[in-house]
Amino acid sequence: MAATSTNFTHPFLDLDGDKLREECGIFGAINAADAAAATALGLHALQHRGQEAVGITSFDGSEFYSSRGLGHVAENFSSAESIAVLPGHMAAGHVRYSTTGGSGLRNVQPLYADLATGGFAVAHNGNISNAMTLRADLVRKGSIFQSTSDTEVIIHLVATSRYPTLADRLIDALRLVEGAYALIVMTPEGMIACRDPLGIRPLVMGRMGDAVVFASETVAFDVIGAEFVREVEPGEMVHVDFSGEVQSVRPFGHVSPRPCIFEHVYFSRPDSLFAGQSVYEVRKAIGTQLAMEAPCDVDLVVPVPDSGVPAAIGFAQQSGIPFELGIIRSHYVGRTFIQPSDSARHSGVKRKHNANRGLVAGKRIVLIDDSIVRGTTSLKIVEMMREAGASEVHFRVASPPTAHSCFYGVDTPERSKLLAARMELDAMRDFIKADSLAFISIDGLYRAVGAAKRNAACPQFCDACFSGEYPTSLTDLAMAEPKAAELPFADPKAA
């Protein structure tokens, strides 16, 4: 690479890991006058998908350039100088969370390598569930890895493929890969965008004048003034060259897609479109369905901000119970620092959320949240409402119980730490100290996203975190041995 800059600003760390976290967002632009600037803006709109690190790689027709750093987009790419080191009409970028063993600048994407066919940069959203197995085989054959990211496995598979063209080498590599991926690849010939055959992770295509752009979510196009064209289809590989020609190939055949249903529940920004639907409207529909399935005799519907707001609106509209902001979220608090004591952890929640005492005192309230993971945050919020004087505190959840870990690019705790994997409903209610607790049913969730019900024989979405039915093989998990924790990718959630 011709240039590299780094920023060692350390990010805030999550207090409990008590939310499912999408591990990254990707953006790419080709034939754009200010490709790196557009990429930085697009990544800013995708910041919710990853807040620990950011990187951008550009190509000026002869050389690749890269800049990356820990922290937010604004901390690394807010000045003209930070963009000036990334010249060219093609750029791709990545925002990420890390998981166990995954933090550090060497894992910040896009990853870059000089291959026999020329420069190769890749930004990846998802998780390769056989990465440890592939990596071990590649190392035995002489490959030398520079990161602990599963994404680097793709680079080595491309480098060692015997096919003549880079596009065919990429297809050859991806045939060996299990799991989930949305990729933006840059080469001296142009840009390639592709999704895994099941389309588990999202990827969309747009246009901005003569430029073609790709992103994890449509909201990134709104920010840069691009027009949303369509989704990159599951199993599709889109090639764009510097003349503007766009070609589509489907090298993996046609299978029934299984996009991640949690994009509707939580991951995507509410102002995005996902699977052809408004995320905001779907979340309201989830709240409506939840109110029909689990009504509650209370005075107020109170969302847990911010992710519970659309579902709470739908719940309130369906039930006829007033919607009120009984919890106020501070927008000037970053992700909470790790704290050494239980009392400090509790104050961390209060720095993010505070009870609207004058509103909730003496009232029966129902709290609406998108999910319960470990349950610790739910407990603290219920306790906060009681301390503020609420006479009853009920809890409704806009997703089914999260009882299984995700191995497709979402940071979830190990299953033993998921509340729904350890407890039945009544025990969960007692744990969070609510007067009642209910979750939307999995069929109700499917109805809210427009399906009559869940097709048990072939589900329309990936819902493994609820059902435990994983749509692909989990080779690394199956092959794990007692000493596997010492090896790269022993945690299948690493991305």
Side-chain angles (χ1 to χ4, degrees), residues 276-296:
Q277 295 178 279
S278 160
V279 173
Y280 177 78
E281 292 299 332
V282 167
R283 288 179 187 166
K284 282 177 59 182
I286 292 172
T288 298
Q289 184 68 33
L290 181 60
M292 292 189 289
E293 291 186 359
C296 196

Side-chain angles (χ1 to χ4, degrees), residues 109-123:
Q109 298 185 32
L111 298 185
Y112 175 85
D114 283 306
L115 306 184
T117 53
F120 183 92
V122 57

Side-chain angles (χ1 to χ4, degrees), residues 76-105:
N76 291 277
F77 297 107
S78 60
S79 67
E81 292 77 16
S82 63
I83 300 298
V85 300
L86 297 163
H89 290 179
M90 179 171 68
H94 186 275
V95 289
R96 78 186 297 264
Y97 280 124
S98 65
T99 51
T100 304
S103 61
L105 280 170

Side-chain angles (χ1 to χ4, degrees), residues 444-493:
L445 178 59
Y446 271 76
R447 283 192 289 271
V449 299
K453 64 176 182 177
R454 181 179 187 266
N455 183 343
C458 184
Q460 303 94 314
F461 291 88
C462 178
D463 55 26
C465 54
F466 309 133
S467 67
E469 297 176 16
Y470 295 94
T472 74
S473 299
L474 300 175
T475 298
D476 288 350
L477 187 66
M479 298 290 290
E481 295 180 355
K483 292 185 179 181
E486 302 171 6
L487 300 173
F489 307 117
D491 181 354
K493 302 184 294 296

Side-chain angles (χ1 to χ4, degrees), residues 116-277:
T117 53
F120 183 92
V122 57
H124 170 210
N125 174 22
N127 191 70
I128 299 171
S129 57
N130 64 336
M132 182 171 65
T133 304
L134 291 171
R135 180 183 178 120
D137 183 59
L138 287 162
V139 169
R140 279 194 297 269
K141 293 177 180 177
S143 291
I144 300 173
F145 282 73
Q146 301 298 313
S147 76
T148 58
S149 168
D150 61 343
T151 307
E152 192 177 355
V153 169
I154 297 172
I155 294 177
H156 286 270
L157 291 174
V158 171
T160 56
S161 172
R162 294 173 179 250
Y163 279 84
T165 69
L166 191 143
D168 286 337
R169 288 186 176 200
L170 180 59
I171 293 169
D172 186 38
L174 294 179
R175 290 190 192 281
L176 301 175
V177 165
E178 296 173 0
Y181 56 82
L183 302 177
I184 296 176
V185 174
M186 294 196 303
T187 76
E189 286 74 45
M191 180 169 283
I192 302 171
C194 60
R195 288 173 79 186
D196 66 79
L198 294 175
I200 298 173
R201 300 261 66 85
L203 191 62
V204 291
M205 181 171 67
R207 282 195 175 273
M208 183 177 61
D210 294 331
V212 176
V213 289
F214 299 96
S216 295
E217 293 183 37
T218 61
V219 68
F221 299 159
D222 299 336
V223 171
I224 64 168
E227 176 189 2
F228 168 58
V229 174
R230 63 177 179 88
E231 289 190 356
V232 176
E233 296 296 326
E236 182 184 19
M237 187 173 286
V238 181
H239 302 249
V240 186
D241 64 21
F242 292 107
S243 70
E245 183 180 358
V246 179
Q247 293 183 327
S248 171
V249 297
R250 294 178 179 270
F252 310 113
H254 293 269
V255 295
S256 297
R258 297 280 295 274
C260 173
I261 200 167
F262 224 91
E263 292 286 345
H264 276 310
V265 174
Y266 175 69
F267 296 142
S268 292
R269 263 181 47 167
D271 46 344
S272 283
L273 299 174
F274 175 68
Q277 295 178 279

Side-chain angles (χ1 to χ4, degrees), residues 322-396:
F323 168 96
E324 294 287 357
L325 296 180
I327 302 172
I328 306 301
R329 176 178 178 267
S330 171
H331 292 272
Y332 301 97
V333 177
R335 298 180 62 218
T336 315
F337 291 103
I338 289 178
Q339 300 289 355
S341 68
D342 287 341
S343 60
R345 286 188 177 96
H346 187 63
S347 68
V349 169
K350 288 189 172 182
R351 289 194 300 119
K352 281 188 175 181
H353 301 105
N354 192 43
N356 190 347
R357 290 178 176 270
L359 180 70
V360 303
K363 299 292 197 306
R364 300 169 302 163
I365 67 169
V366 58
L367 295 167
I368 311 294
D369 205 356
D370 63 88
S371 60
I372 293 180
V373 182
R374 297 172 189 257
T376 49
T377 296
S378 303
L379 165 63
K380 291 166 188 173
I381 289 174
V382 170
E383 289 179 333
M384 183 171 64
M385 292 292 97
R386 294 200 189 280
E387 291 170 4
S391 60
E392 294 179 17
V393 182
H394 302 264
F395 213 104
R396 297 292 181 267

